[in-house]
Amino acid sequence: MIIFSRTLWVPSGVVERLSKKKWFQIHWLSGGYLFGINALYFGTTICLLYLLMFTDLPYLHLVLMFLATIVSIFTWSAFSTA
């Protein structure tokens, strides 16, 4: 993440909106917001993995976990840029 941070695509609209918020400049509030987003991602992923137990599609859980990791990395990158 540190080595390739300049090559990651970050949605500029999200970065601009977050950086203009006054509450985002307070590190405790922005950290709590990031924690909430990560908790939401984690809960959604767990729920989707639970629902995947009822299907017979092999290896779909690996794709889901890979996508969840990518989304989390992009979120952290956007917060870091903001």
Side-chain angles (χ1 to χ4, degrees), residues 45-77:
T45 304
I46 292 297
C47 182
L48 290 174
L49 285 173
Y50 178 73
L51 292 175
L52 282 177
M53 288 187 345
F54 300 111
T55 66
D56 290 332
L57 299 172
Y59 304 112
L60 191 58
H61 64 285
L62 294 176
V63 174
L64 177 67
M65 292 305 293
F66 178 74
L67 290 175
T69 304
I70 296 299
V71 167
S72 182
I73 288 172
F74 279 129
T75 302
W76 277 81
S77 180

Side-chain angles (χ1 to χ4, degrees), residues 21-39:
K21 301 285 185 187
K22 186 170 265 192
W23 61 266
F24 190 74
Q25 304 305 322
I26 303 169
H27 66 280
W28 287 101
L29 293 177
S30 59
Y33 186 68
L34 182 61
F35 177 78
I37 288 175
N38 281 329

